[in-house]
Amino acid sequence: MVKVTLNGTVLADSDKTVQVEGNHYFPPESVNTAALTPSSTHTTCPWKGVASYYDGTIGGKTVVNDVAWYYPETKEAANNIKGYVAFYKNKVKFE
């Protein structure tokens, strides 16, 4: 089981993460979307596709910008993480 918290709030909790390049990607149903707000940030990975980002939002206030990312659409090689959410290790606590 892998759990991610931010200031004591659980952002994600799952035993079905997929590890890619040292990052745990959480299935969408295991993510606390109430604590995440879509960010305007987008980046491109040559083999995964275009990533979208979330800000960490607690109590209606953004606490950490771009705390997590996901690929709403993926290139074929990354289909196993389509829609899954990963978190920056230096911005959250992993348990």
Side-chain angles (χ1 to χ4, degrees):
M1 183 73 69
V2 182
K3 183 194 293 188
V4 172
T5 60
L6 176 63
N7 294 352
T9 298
V10 176
L11 299 181
D13 192 2
S14 179
D15 59 358
K16 295 180 178 159
T17 64
V18 176
Q19 284 194 30
V20 176
E21 297 179 329
N23 295 302
H24 284 275
Y25 283 80
F26 290 80
E29 64 274 7
S30 70
V31 177
N32 178 6
T33 56
L36 299 172
T37 305
S39 163
S40 61
T41 303
H42 298 281
T43 58
T44 302
C45 171
W47 71 273
K48 288 179 264 180
V50 177
S52 295
Y53 287 73
Y54 287 119
D55 293 333
T57 307
I58 299 173
K61 296 181 181 179
T62 298
V63 183
V64 179
N65 292 319
D66 298 332
V67 73
W69 72 94
Y70 68 102
Y71 295 89
E73 298 297 327
T74 56
K75 293 187 177 183
E76 188 174 337
N79 281 343
N80 62 324
I81 59 165
K82 182 177 180 178
Y84 279 46
V85 180
F87 296 86
Y88 281 101
K89 295 173 188 169
N90 64 335
K91 296 183 178 186
V92 297
K93 181 179 178 184
F94 277 80
E95 299 176 25

